[in-house]
PDB file of all heavy atoms in Angstrom:
ATOM      1  N   THR A 713     170.491 -38.402  53.392  1.00 94.00           N
ATOM      2  CA  THR A 713     169.155 -38.953  53.567  1.00 94.00           C
ATOM      3  C   THR A 713     169.124 -39.755  54.860  1.00 94.00           C
ATOM      4  O   THR A 713     170.093 -40.445  55.193  1.00 94.00           O
ATOM      5  CB  THR A 713     168.731 -39.855  52.388  1.00 94.00           C
ATOM      6  OG1 THR A 713     169.679 -40.897  52.226  1.00 94.00           O
ATOM      7  CG2 THR A 713     168.609 -39.063  51.112  1.00 94.00           C
ATOM      8  N   ALA A 735     168.465 -32.476  56.042  1.00 95.00           N
ATOM      9  CA  ALA A 735     168.509 -33.874  55.617  1.00 95.00           C
ATOM     10  C   ALA A 735     167.193 -34.212  54.931  1.00 95.00           C
ATOM     11  O   ALA A 735     166.125 -33.755  55.354  1.00 95.00           O
ATOM     12  CB  ALA A 735     168.712 -34.792  56.821  1.00 95.00           C
ATOM     13  N   VAL A 736     167.280 -34.994  53.888  1.00 94.00           N
ATOM     14  CA  VAL A 736     166.080 -35.498  53.216  1.00 94.00           C
ATOM     15  C   VAL A 736     165.630 -36.730  54.000  1.00 94.00           C
ATOM     16  O   VAL A 736     166.430 -37.629  54.281  1.00 94.00           O
ATOM     17  CB  VAL A 736     166.379 -35.865  51.747  1.00 94.00           C
ATOM     18  CG1 VAL A 736     165.188 -36.547  51.099  1.00 94.00           C
ATOM     19  CG2 VAL A 736     166.775 -34.618  50.966  1.00 94.00           C
ATOM     20  N   VAL A 737     164.375 -36.734  54.392  1.00 95.00           N
ATOM     21  CA  VAL A 737     163.814 -37.842  55.158  1.00 95.00           C
ATOM     22  C   VAL A 737     162.966 -38.682  54.203  1.00 95.00           C
ATOM     23  O   VAL A 737     161.975 -38.201  53.657  1.00 95.00           O
ATOM     24  CB  VAL A 737     162.969 -37.340  56.347  1.00 95.00           C
ATOM     25  CG1 VAL A 737     162.419 -38.521  57.141  1.00 95.00           C
ATOM     26  CG2 VAL A 737     163.799 -36.423  57.240  1.00 95.00           C
ATOM     27  N   LEU A 738     163.388 -39.924  54.012  1.00 91.00           N
ATOM     28  CA  LEU A 738     162.653 -40.839  53.139  1.00 91.00           C
ATOM     29  C   LEU A 738     161.758 -41.703  54.014  1.00 91.00           C
ATOM     30  O   LEU A 738     162.235 -42.461  54.846  1.00 91.00           O
ATOM     31  CB  LEU A 738     163.612 -41.709  52.335  1.00 91.00           C
ATOM     32  CG  LEU A 738     164.528 -40.968  51.363  1.00 91.00           C
ATOM     33  CD1 LEU A 738     165.463 -41.942  50.655  1.00 91.00           C
ATOM     34  CD2 LEU A 738     163.722 -40.179  50.351  1.00 91.00           C
ATOM     35  N   ASP A 739     160.460 -41.561  53.832  1.00 84.00           N
ATOM     36  CA  ASP A 739     159.479 -42.284  54.635  1.00 84.00           C
ATOM     37  C   ASP A 739     158.386 -42.828  53.724  1.00 84.00           C
ATOM     38  O   ASP A 739     157.362 -42.184  53.518  1.00 84.00           O
ATOM     39  CB  ASP A 739     158.882 -41.357  55.694  1.00 84.00           C
ATOM     40  CG  ASP A 739     158.010 -42.089  56.691  1.00 84.00           C
ATOM     41  OD1 ASP A 739     157.782 -43.314  56.524  1.00 84.00           O
ATOM     42  OD2 ASP A 739     157.552 -41.435  57.646  1.00 84.00           O
ATOM     43  N   PRO A 740     158.585 -44.035  53.170  1.00 78.00           N
ATOM     44  CA  PRO A 740     157.597 -44.593  52.253  1.00 78.00           C
ATOM     45  C   PRO A 740     156.224 -44.779  52.893  1.00 78.00           C
ATOM     46  O   PRO A 740     155.203 -44.686  52.215  1.00 78.00           O
ATOM     47  CB  PRO A 740     158.187 -45.930  51.816  1.00 78.00           C
ATOM     48  CG  PRO A 740     159.444 -46.125  52.574  1.00 78.00           C
ATOM     49  CD  PRO A 740     159.727 -44.901  53.383  1.00 78.00           C
ATOM     50  N   ALA A 742     154.776 -42.778  54.996  1.00 69.00           N
ATOM     51  CA  ALA A 742     154.074 -41.495  55.141  1.00 69.00           C
ATOM     52  C   ALA A 742     153.958 -40.758  53.813  1.00 69.00           C
ATOM     53  O   ALA A 742     153.629 -39.588  53.781  1.00 69.00           O
ATOM     54  CB  ALA A 742     154.796 -40.623  56.160  1.00 69.00           C
ATOM     55  N   GLY A 743     154.268 -41.399  52.733  1.00 69.00           N
ATOM     56  CA  GLY A 743     154.064 -40.763  51.443  1.00 69.00           C
ATOM     57  C   GLY A 743     155.313 -40.295  50.740  1.00 69.00           C
ATOM     58  O   GLY A 743     155.231 -39.591  49.749  1.00 69.00           O
ATOM     59  N   GLY A 744     156.481 -40.630  51.242  1.00 80.00           N
ATOM     60  CA  GLY A 744     157.671 -40.346  50.462  1.00 80.00           C
ATOM     61  C   GLY A 744     158.718 -39.472  51.086  1.00 80.00           C
ATOM     62  O   GLY A 744     159.367 -39.851  52.044  1.00 80.00           O
ATOM     63  N   VAL A 745     158.859 -38.252  50.564  1.00 88.00           N
ATOM     64  CA  VAL A 745     160.021 -37.421  50.834  1.00 88.00           C
ATOM     65  C   VAL A 745     159.648 -36.205  51.669  1.00 88.00           C
ATOM     66  O   VAL A 745     158.677 -35.513  51.377  1.00 88.00           O
ATOM     67  CB  VAL A 745     160.646 -36.946  49.504  1.00 88.00           C
ATOM     68  CG1 VAL A 745     161.853 -36.068  49.739  1.00 88.00           C
ATOM     69  CG2 VAL A 745     161.023 -38.135  48.635  1.00 88.00           C
ATOM     70  N   GLY A 746     160.455 -35.959  52.707  1.00 91.00           N
ATOM     71  CA  GLY A 746     160.304 -34.757  53.518  1.00 91.00           C
ATOM     72  C   GLY A 746     161.671 -34.170  53.802  1.00 91.00           C
ATOM     73  O   GLY A 746     162.693 -34.691  53.340  1.00 91.00           O
ATOM     74  N   ILE A 747     161.701 -33.098  54.583  1.00 95.00           N
ATOM     75  CA  ILE A 747     162.970 -32.453  54.900  1.00 95.00           C
ATOM     76  C   ILE A 747     163.007 -32.101  56.385  1.00 95.00           C
ATOM     77  O   ILE A 747     162.003 -31.677  56.964  1.00 95.00           O
ATOM     78  CB  ILE A 747     163.201 -31.221  54.010  1.00 95.00           C
ATOM     79  CG1 ILE A 747     164.626 -30.700  54.150  1.00 95.00           C
ATOM     80  CG2 ILE A 747     162.177 -30.135  54.275  1.00 95.00           C
ATOM     81  CD1 ILE A 747     165.048 -29.721  53.052  1.00 95.00           C
ATOM     82  N   THR A 772     159.672 -33.453  60.780  1.00 93.00           N
ATOM     83  CA  THR A 772     159.934 -33.369  59.345  1.00 93.00           C
ATOM     84  C   THR A 772     158.833 -32.586  58.642  1.00 93.00           C
ATOM     85  O   THR A 772     157.650 -32.798  58.909  1.00 93.00           O
ATOM     86  CB  THR A 772     160.016 -34.791  58.745  1.00 93.00           C
ATOM     87  OG1 THR A 772     161.113 -35.471  59.344  1.00 93.00           O
ATOM     88  CG2 THR A 772     160.216 -34.752  57.240  1.00 93.00           C
ATOM     89  N   THR A 773     159.224 -31.704  57.750  1.00 89.00           N
ATOM     90  CA  THR A 773     158.264 -31.020  56.892  1.00 89.00           C
ATOM     91  C   THR A 773     157.955 -31.962  55.735  1.00 89.00           C
ATOM     92  O   THR A 773     158.852 -32.344  54.981  1.00 89.00           O
ATOM     93  CB  THR A 773     158.839 -29.693  56.364  1.00 89.00           C
ATOM     94  OG1 THR A 773     159.148 -28.861  57.473  1.00 89.00           O
ATOM     95  CG2 THR A 773     157.853 -28.998  55.440  1.00 89.00           C
ATOM     96  N   THR A 774     156.695 -32.340  55.625  1.00 85.00           N
ATOM     97  CA  THR A 774     156.297 -33.250  54.553  1.00 85.00           C
ATOM     98  C   THR A 774     155.540 -32.526  53.443  1.00 85.00           C
ATOM     99  O   THR A 774     155.402 -33.051  52.352  1.00 85.00           O
ATOM    100  CB  THR A 774     155.435 -34.409  55.100  1.00 85.00           C
ATOM    101  OG1 THR A 774     154.323 -33.864  55.801  1.00 85.00           O
ATOM    102  CG2 THR A 774     156.256 -35.305  56.027  1.00 85.00           C
ATOM    103  N   ASP A 775     155.073 -31.331  53.744  1.00 84.00           N
ATOM    104  CA  ASP A 775     154.398 -30.514  52.730  1.00 84.00           C
ATOM    105  C   ASP A 775     155.480 -29.677  52.045  1.00 84.00           C
ATOM    106  O   ASP A 775     155.590 -28.481  52.257  1.00 84.00           O
ATOM    107  CB  ASP A 775     153.349 -29.628  53.403  1.00 84.00           C
ATOM    108  CG  ASP A 775     152.525 -28.857  52.399  1.00 84.00           C
ATOM    109  OD1 ASP A 775     152.481 -29.262  51.222  1.00 84.00           O
ATOM    110  OD2 ASP A 775     151.931 -27.839  52.801  1.00 84.00           O
ATOM    111  N   VAL A 776     156.296 -30.352  51.259  1.00 86.00           N
ATOM    112  CA  VAL A 776     157.512 -29.778  50.705  1.00 86.00           C
ATOM    113  C   VAL A 776     157.263 -29.194  49.319  1.00 86.00           C
ATOM    114  O   VAL A 776     156.533 -29.771  48.519  1.00 86.00           O
ATOM    115  CB  VAL A 776     158.618 -30.865  50.617  1.00 86.00           C
ATOM    116  CG1 VAL A 776     159.895 -30.309  50.050  1.00 86.00           C
ATOM    117  CG2 VAL A 776     158.870 -31.480  51.980  1.00 86.00           C
ATOM    118  N   PHE A 778     159.094 -28.675  45.983  1.00 93.00           N
ATOM    119  CA  PHE A 778     160.260 -29.233  45.308  1.00 93.00           C
ATOM    120  C   PHE A 778     160.669 -28.344  44.153  1.00 93.00           C
ATOM    121  O   PHE A 778     159.832 -27.682  43.546  1.00 93.00           O
ATOM    122  CB  PHE A 778     159.946 -30.629  44.768  1.00 93.00           C
ATOM    123  CG  PHE A 778     159.595 -31.621  45.843  1.00 93.00           C
ATOM    124  CD1 PHE A 778     158.273 -31.940  46.098  1.00 93.00           C
ATOM    125  CD2 PHE A 778     160.583 -32.226  46.593  1.00 93.00           C
ATOM    126  CE1 PHE A 778     157.929 -32.843  47.083  1.00 93.00           C
ATOM    127  CE2 PHE A 778     160.257 -33.134  47.593  1.00 93.00           C
ATOM    128  CZ  PHE A 778     158.929 -33.442  47.835  1.00 93.00           C
ATOM    129  N   ILE A 801     164.378 -29.346  48.045  1.00 94.00           N
ATOM    130  CA  ILE A 801     164.804 -30.635  47.508  1.00 94.00           C
ATOM    131  C   ILE A 801     164.586 -30.581  46.006  1.00 94.00           C
ATOM    132  O   ILE A 801     163.548 -30.133  45.528  1.00 94.00           O
ATOM    133  CB  ILE A 801     163.984 -31.783  48.124  1.00 94.00           C
ATOM    134  CG1 ILE A 801     164.187 -31.823  49.645  1.00 94.00           C
ATOM    135  CG2 ILE A 801     164.371 -33.122  47.487  1.00 94.00           C
ATOM    136  CD1 ILE A 801     163.246 -32.781  50.354  1.00 94.00           C
ATOM    137  N   LEU A 803     164.011 -32.525  42.643  1.00 93.00           N
ATOM    138  CA  LEU A 803     163.532 -33.815  42.140  1.00 93.00           C
ATOM    139  C   LEU A 803     163.679 -33.886  40.631  1.00 93.00           C
ATOM    140  O   LEU A 803     163.413 -32.924  39.928  1.00 93.00           O
ATOM    141  CB  LEU A 803     162.049 -34.016  42.473  1.00 93.00           C
ATOM    142  CG  LEU A 803     161.637 -34.201  43.922  1.00 93.00           C
ATOM    143  CD1 LEU A 803     160.140 -34.496  43.994  1.00 93.00           C
ATOM    144  CD2 LEU A 803     162.421 -35.296  44.599  1.00 93.00           C
ATOM    145  N   ARG A 806     160.704 -37.708  39.999  1.00 83.00           N
ATOM    146  CA  ARG A 806     160.207 -38.021  41.340  1.00 83.00           C
ATOM    147  C   ARG A 806     161.260 -38.549  42.293  1.00 83.00           C
ATOM    148  O   ARG A 806     160.950 -39.084  43.357  1.00 83.00           O
ATOM    149  CB  ARG A 806     159.037 -38.996  41.275  1.00 83.00           C
ATOM    150  CG  ARG A 806     157.835 -38.407  40.594  1.00 83.00           C
ATOM    151  CD  ARG A 806     156.651 -39.306  40.760  1.00 83.00           C
ATOM    152  NE  ARG A 806     155.777 -39.131  39.613  1.00 83.00           N
ATOM    153  CZ  ARG A 806     154.901 -39.994  39.216  1.00 83.00           C
ATOM    154  NH1 ARG A 806     154.751 -41.123  39.855  1.00 83.00           N
ATOM    155  NH2 ARG A 806     154.152 -39.751  38.174  1.00 83.00           N
ATOM    156  N   GLU A 807     162.524 -38.462  41.927  1.00 85.00           N
ATOM    157  CA  GLU A 807     163.622 -38.920  42.781  1.00 85.00           C
ATOM    158  C   GLU A 807     164.454 -37.720  43.214  1.00 85.00           C
ATOM    159  O   GLU A 807     164.772 -36.845  42.399  1.00 85.00           O
ATOM    160  CB  GLU A 807     164.524 -39.898  42.023  1.00 85.00           C
ATOM    161  CG  GLU A 807     163.876 -41.213  41.695  1.00 85.00           C
ATOM    162  CD  GLU A 807     163.506 -42.022  42.929  1.00 85.00           C
ATOM    163  OE1 GLU A 807     164.301 -42.043  43.890  1.00 85.00           O
ATOM    164  OE2 GLU A 807     162.419 -42.606  42.933  1.00 85.00           O
ATOM    165  N   PRO A 808     164.852 -37.665  44.501  1.00 89.00           N
ATOM    166  CA  PRO A 808     165.724 -36.565  44.931  1.00 89.00           C
ATOM    167  C   PRO A 808     167.100 -36.691  44.287  1.00 89.00           C
ATOM    168  O   PRO A 808     167.735 -37.735  44.378  1.00 89.00           O
ATOM    169  CB  PRO A 808     165.819 -36.734  46.452  1.00 89.00           C
ATOM    170  CG  PRO A 808     165.016 -37.918  46.828  1.00 89.00           C
ATOM    171  CD  PRO A 808     164.462 -38.540  45.585  1.00 89.00           C
TER     172      PRO A 808
END
Side-chain angles (χ1 to χ4, degrees):
T713 57
V736 173
V737 181
L738 297 178
D739 188 355
V745 180
I747 191 165
T772 297
T773 300
T774 55
D775 185 20
V776 180
F778 298 100
I801 299 171
L803 292 185
R806 295 190 209 158
E807 292 296 320

